[in-house]
Amino acid sequence: MSRLKIHENKSNFIRDGKPFFYLADTIWSAFTNVTIEEWEFYLEKRKMQGYNVLQINTLPQWDRCVADTGIYPFASEDGQKFDFSKYNQDYYERAKKMCQMAVDKGFELALVVLWLNYVPGTWGSRMLDMNIMPKEYVKKYTDKVISEFDQFEPIYVVSGDTDFDTDDAIEYYQIALDELCKKSPSTLKTLHIKRGYDIIPEEFLDKIDFYMYQSGHNAMEQRMAYMLPQQISEKYPKKPIVNAEPCYEQMGYSRMQYGRFGVKEIRQAAWSSILSGACAGVTYGAHGIWNWHRINSPKNSVLGEGFDSPNPWQEALQFEGAWDYGFLKYLLEENRVEELIPCQELLENASEEIRIAKTKEGNYFIYVPYSTQVVIRESLKGYEIKAIDLQTRQIVYVTPDYRENKTFLKMLPISHDIVYIMKKKMTDIKREE
């Protein structure tokens, strides 16, 4: 049986009977690009930062750095075009060694079975069609993934960055998902879908265990971080929701727009997600880690849509935002938070960018991107209120005003984004009991 399970509240995960906040790093191209020595260093770093899940593509990532290790799952003359009829077992032995190293350090594995460029009728295969997998190999390849990786009890991410706008795409992924359900019934399954997308085919709904969405790298559409979990919650049966690809740190803006995502923008994506219904977890990404860029790579060395040049992996691994995501997980664990229930209706005349959610115990979290007065349509007398400057992690003890049965949080002298934590005082909890 898989160690990772769905909480009975259908909003979160549990592992070994304890709440588990899914904090992942995207390292899609690990199996093709990372050496064993580099992998050991990487795992140590992310373990220290609090990460507990690694999202990896079982197939060569189409937009990885071309300066890879030269080992592929199928026969190939150039590392780009593959012969799906001939497996390279050395690739799988090496990948399993990397998986074992990760599992030994306590990581869960989220392994993508079919990234979109291998599937006909997706936006990715229309851009790059050299490696569309023949349909007769889909079941065979899924069986190969199960036979090689099921020992690690991974999360199977059936699709990668995909849409389901064609019958071909739905058929391919249905073949893979049905085979996973048949041959690996105890592992968790999900779908990684494209940016800004919330379409999940009806025939998949009963077979996946939780939802992934992608708020992505379009600078003009970062509201997707909070809009998509709301839409998914309204459209589909209740299951845990994870933002599996928010904007990556130092990724260039898409749509040919000049600029890069910084620490404040990636923090906002994470907090906006978890306070809007995606409280099961969130995924960090660093531009240079997901595609494993090397300092000695040739010019124009990134395949696919590169979103401007990445940093070498050694530099990308040191980005400050990775610690911010670890700090988010720390705050939730220290406050024993499991489910977070969005309650935007409590905010009066507030920007949609300000997000609020409550716990089942009646405590509140509010994310404020820029310091301003916040008015809550409830009197929270009897609550201890703290504000944390998310850049400096300094703590402000807040004294609110109460009038007209409302709580007024005055603007604070903080120049960065803020999270408010509002907890019932212990004397009030005992009084209620």
Side-chain angles (χ1 to χ4, degrees):
M1 296 293 289
S2 176
R3 293 174 298 154
L4 196 65
K5 302 179 187 297
I6 305 300
H7 195 291
E8 62 183 9
N9 65 18
K10 297 183 180 179
S11 290
N12 304 89
F13 299 104
I14 54 172
R15 185 167 76 174
D16 300 327
K18 299 177 182 178
F20 180 91
F21 182 78
Y22 179 114
L23 182 63
D25 189 30
T26 43
I27 183 156
W28 301 127
S29 50
F31 293 163
T32 54
N33 284 53
V34 186
T35 69
I36 296 299
E37 292 76 17
E38 291 167 345
W39 188 239
E40 178 70 30
F41 182 76
Y42 166 84
L43 292 175
E44 284 290 328
K45 184 72 170 184
R46 288 295 187 247
K47 181 69 174 178
M48 286 190 292
Q49 293 171 320
Y51 291 80
N52 51 24
V53 183
L54 302 175
Q55 294 178 186
I56 305 172
N57 195 346
T58 63
L59 291 168
Q61 183 74 18
W62 72 317
D63 46 5
R64 70 193 185 278
C65 175
V66 298
D68 53 33
T69 58
I71 185 167
Y72 311 107
F74 307 101
S76 176
E77 294 183 0
D78 60 4
Q80 297 184 44
K81 175 66 177 175
F82 304 118
D83 180 351
F84 295 107
S85 68
K86 298 177 182 177
Y87 289 116
N88 177 9
Q89 190 57 33
D90 288 344
Y91 172 89
Y92 293 97
E93 295 304 319
R94 181 176 177 279
K96 286 189 290 186
K97 180 176 181 179
M98 297 173 77
C99 288
Q100 189 63 60
M101 292 169 67
V103 168
D104 287 346
K105 292 185 184 297
F107 289 99
E108 295 286 339
L109 301 169
L111 302 180
V112 179
V113 180
L114 286 173
W115 204 264
L116 83 161
N117 61 293
Y118 295 94
V119 175
T122 65
W123 70 266
S125 61
R126 287 191 291 271
M127 288 181 63
L128 185 68
D129 62 1
M130 73 169 68
N131 277 318
I132 293 178
M133 184 179 287
K135 186 166 65 175
E136 63 267 26
Y137 287 109
V138 174
K139 183 176 178 292
K140 295 176 183 178
Y141 180 68
T142 305
D143 285 337
K144 179 67 172 175
V145 169
I146 295 168
S147 68
E148 299 293 350
F149 298 111
D150 217 49
Q151 62 183 295
F152 304 111
E153 299 179 313
I155 297 165
Y156 286 115
V157 185
V158 183
S159 65
D161 202 15
T162 200
D163 53 63
F164 303 104
D165 295 344
T166 66
D167 291 340
D168 280 341
I170 292 173
E171 184 180 10
Y172 266 58
Y173 286 120
Q174 187 164 13
I175 292 169
L177 181 54
D178 285 348
E179 191 69 4
L180 286 164
C181 290
K182 178 182 176 181
K183 298 287 183 66
S184 183
S186 66
T187 53
L188 299 184
K189 290 94 180 169
T190 189
L191 303 162
H192 180 281
I193 56 182
K194 73 176 184 177
R195 184 205 66 79
Y197 196 76
D198 66 351
I199 296 173
I200 302 170
E202 186 176 354
E203 51 265 52
F204 296 170
L205 287 174
D206 291 337
K207 298 174 183 177
I208 60 173
D209 298 287
F210 66 99
Y211 305 117
M212 282 182 165
Y213 74 96
Q214 179 185 169
S215 56
H217 319 291
N218 185 336
M220 303 302 293
E221 291 292 341
Q222 286 302 294
R223 59 181 182 157
M224 291 297 173
Y226 58 81
M227 287 181 62
L228 286 172
Q230 293 174 163
Q231 293 168 195
I232 289 169
S233 296
E234 291 170 0
K235 290 175 63 172
Y236 302 117
K238 186 176 182 181
K239 299 176 190 286
I241 305 174
V242 172
N243 188 347
E245 193 169 334
C247 53
Y248 289 172
E249 188 168 7
Q250 289 303 306
M251 178 78 96
Y253 298 153
S254 67
R255 304 298 188 272
M256 303 302 293
Q257 183 181 354
Y258 175 68
R260 292 178 185 265
F261 293 104
V263 289
K264 191 264 182 181
E265 292 163 301
I266 67 166
R267 282 198 304 264
Q268 183 169 357
W271 281 101
S272 297
S273 300
I274 69 164
L275 298 182
S276 304
C279 62
V282 70
T283 301
Y284 172 77
H287 195 32
I289 293 298
W290 66 273
N291 52 354
W292 208 257
H293 186 64
R294 298 182 182 280
I295 198 168
N296 60 347
S297 296
K299 199 172 184 179
N300 301 322
S301 65
V302 179
L303 299 169
E305 188 176 6
F307 297 99
D308 213 335
S309 299
N311 291 77
W313 72 265
Q314 295 94 334
E315 294 177 5
L317 195 58
Q318 309 303 324
F319 288 167
E320 284 298 315
W323 294 99
D324 287 321
Y325 275 49
F327 184 63
L328 183 157
K329 173 173 171 274
Y330 166 79
L331 287 178
L332 297 181
E333 291 177 342
E334 281 296 296
N335 288 280
R336 299 182 180 180
V337 175
E338 294 179 14
E339 185 173 16
L340 281 165
I341 305 161
C343 48
Q344 288 297 112
E345 69 278 1
L346 292 181
L347 296 181
E348 184 170 286
N349 299 324
S351 165
E352 281 194 333
E353 292 182 274
I354 299 174
R355 310 306 296 177
I356 181 172
K358 63 182 178 181
T359 68
K360 63 181 180 180
E361 295 82 14
N363 299 323
Y364 294 88
F365 283 72
I366 305 176
Y367 175 78
V368 181
Y370 308 97
S371 187
T372 187
Q373 176 178 264
V374 178
V375 182
I376 302 168
R377 293 188 176 110
E378 279 188 5
S379 175
L380 298 182
K381 287 183 179 179
Y383 278 71
E384 179 183 62
I385 303 176
K386 297 176 184 176
I388 301 174
D389 181 327
L390 290 174
Q391 180 73 25
T392 66
R393 298 184 191 143
Q394 293 174 332
I395 298 172
V396 178
Y397 291 82
V398 178
T399 303
D401 292 328
Y402 302 104
R403 58 183 186 272
E404 302 172 355
N405 203 36
K406 299 175 183 178
T407 302
F408 292 78
L409 305 176
K410 65 182 178 181
M411 187 174 75
L412 297 174
I414 294 176
S415 56
H416 309 111
D417 50 337
I418 301 164
V419 64
Y420 288 90
I421 301 176
M422 313 166 76
K423 297 177 67 174
K424 290 182 179 180
K425 295 178 181 177
M426 289 303 297
T427 54
D428 293 281
I429 295 174
K430 291 177 181 178
R431 196 176 296 127
E432 288 180 7
E433 293 173 349

